[in-house]
Amino acid sequence: MASHCRSTTISLSVLAYCLFLFSPLPTASQNFLTESSKVSVGLYYESLCPYSANFIVNYLVDIFKDNGDLLSAIDLHLSPWGNARVRGNDTFVCQHGPWECFLNTVEACAIYVWPKLEDHFPFIYCVEDLVYNRKYTEWETCFQKLNLDPEFITKCYKSEHGKELELRYAAETNSLQPPHKYVPWVVVDGEPLYEDYENFVTYICNAYKGTGPPKACNELSRYTIQRRNAGVAGQVCYKEPIMSDITEMIRSTMTWWMQRIVGFASF
């Protein structure tokens, strides 16, 4: 298995799998942090937003580097809902269509079936890597790639339980303060990072209150330079305006024009 990770012909995706599948878990010395002293990190995203996929595949995965050193300092929560909306009959409409609603539910089920981050993140990473490479219809290959049993995930997304999970994530996302404007929406220690989300490690390090900062914080300048060179930063999938917003815009525009017409008529 380890020799497979060293193969010169191996793909970047499998290299990433090796990163967190074969790296040791945080050591005992790293596990001294209590839950209350960890930095809370929330990622609110939708499965088919290309910028959500890019963040998960090329940025967020770095928390598993250095034997999970940074991972041991944070409490990461993933919320796969994003800019989707709930209709009156508890059905969903998603920004990128039915496939996104489906994969949001699949990823919600993965988080439920494998509650530990170390267990569900590799699967979500695998799916999002396929999204990133425009092969998301092949998402079921992730079970084989990661040697996972698909039974419980399949039962979950085919049942009402999958819908219930998504409704929970919908409520959670819609209760954010301040409200999210787009995805990916990254929140560190209760504060949204807005378009600077790719620089999330800096915010984690600034919020970290424990002794002996994670290695990533000691190498922050090098990390920031590497991230800057990785691609265009801060791109997002904006929320689509709902009809009430559009109606209000039309009403405001008509009121403004009527005021101007009345003003001109008075001359």
Side-chain angles (χ1 to χ4, degrees):
M1 210 53 96
S3 63
H4 182 58
C5 291
R6 291 193 293 269
S7 171
T8 56
T9 61
I10 197 166
S11 68
L12 289 176
S13 298
V14 179
L15 279 173
Y17 299 150
C18 291
L19 174 65
F20 48 73
L21 290 178
F22 300 115
S23 294
L25 292 174
T27 63
S29 61
Q30 292 172 309
N31 283 330
F32 73 95
L33 287 172
T34 63
E35 290 300 317
S36 60
S37 64
K38 291 186 176 184
V39 178
S40 64
V41 180
L43 170 60
Y44 301 85
Y45 71 102
E46 58 194 20
S47 58
L48 292 191
C49 172
Y51 311 121
S52 292
N54 177 57
F55 178 66
I56 291 171
V57 172
N58 293 318
Y59 295 84
L60 191 60
V61 69
D62 286 348
I63 64 174
F64 290 90
K65 285 184 175 179
D66 300 318
N67 297 339
D69 184 54
L70 185 60
L71 177 63
S72 68
I74 67 173
D75 181 13
L76 176 62
H77 173 69
L78 304 178
S79 185
W81 175 259
N83 298 329
R85 299 196 302 272
V86 180
R87 290 173 172 167
N89 57 355
D90 282 348
T91 58
F92 316 140
V93 56
C94 296
Q95 190 168 35
H96 299 92
W99 261 103
E100 181 166 76
C101 286
F102 174 68
L103 289 178
N104 283 351
T105 304
V106 167
E107 295 186 12
C109 287
I111 295 169
Y112 175 80
V113 172
W114 304 304
K116 291 184 179 179
L117 182 69
E118 296 88 339
D119 294 333
H120 64 248
F121 187 85
F123 180 81
I124 290 175
Y125 175 94
C126 180
V127 174
E128 293 302 317
D129 184 60
L130 292 171
V131 172
Y132 184 75
N133 289 288
R134 301 181 182 182
K135 297 179 180 179
Y136 58 84
T137 57
E138 301 173 16
W139 71 274
E140 288 179 292
T141 61
C142 290
F143 292 118
Q144 182 179 2
K145 290 175 183 177
L146 300 172
N147 194 27
L148 296 171
D149 185 349
E151 179 183 0
F152 294 109
I153 298 295
T154 304
K155 285 182 178 179
C156 176
Y157 73 72
K158 286 186 174 181
S159 70
E160 285 296 305
H161 188 56
K163 180 195 282 190
E164 291 170 3
L165 291 174
E166 275 297 274
L167 288 172
R168 292 178 198 173
Y169 285 120
E172 178 182 85
T173 302
N174 293 335
S175 66
L176 285 169
Q177 291 298 331
H180 89 286
K181 299 178 180 180
Y182 40 72
V183 294
W185 186 260
V186 181
V187 178
V188 173
D189 205 26
E191 297 295 326
L193 306 191
Y194 298 99
E195 290 91 344
D196 201 28
Y197 63 85
E198 290 177 356
N199 198 28
F200 74 107
V201 173
T202 299
Y203 293 88
I204 291 172
C205 293
N206 289 339
Y208 181 75
K209 305 302 181 185
T211 57
K215 187 177 179 181
C217 298
N218 295 328
E219 300 178 351
L220 198 54
S221 59
R222 177 177 64 82
Y223 174 91
T224 303
I225 292 171
Q226 288 176 338
R227 293 298 86 194
R228 227 176 253 150
N229 292 336
V232 179
Q235 291 184 293
V236 297
C237 292
Y238 282 94
K239 290 174 68 176
E240 295 176 344
I242 58 177
M243 286 307 299
S244 60
D245 296 331
I246 296 173
T247 302
E248 178 60 25
M249 289 171 61
I250 294 172
R251 188 191 67 79
S252 298
T253 302
M254 291 181 65
T255 300
W256 181 79
W257 274 108
M258 290 298 296
Q259 289 173 342
R260 285 186 60 116
I261 291 170
V262 171
F264 284 133
S266 65
F267 282 106

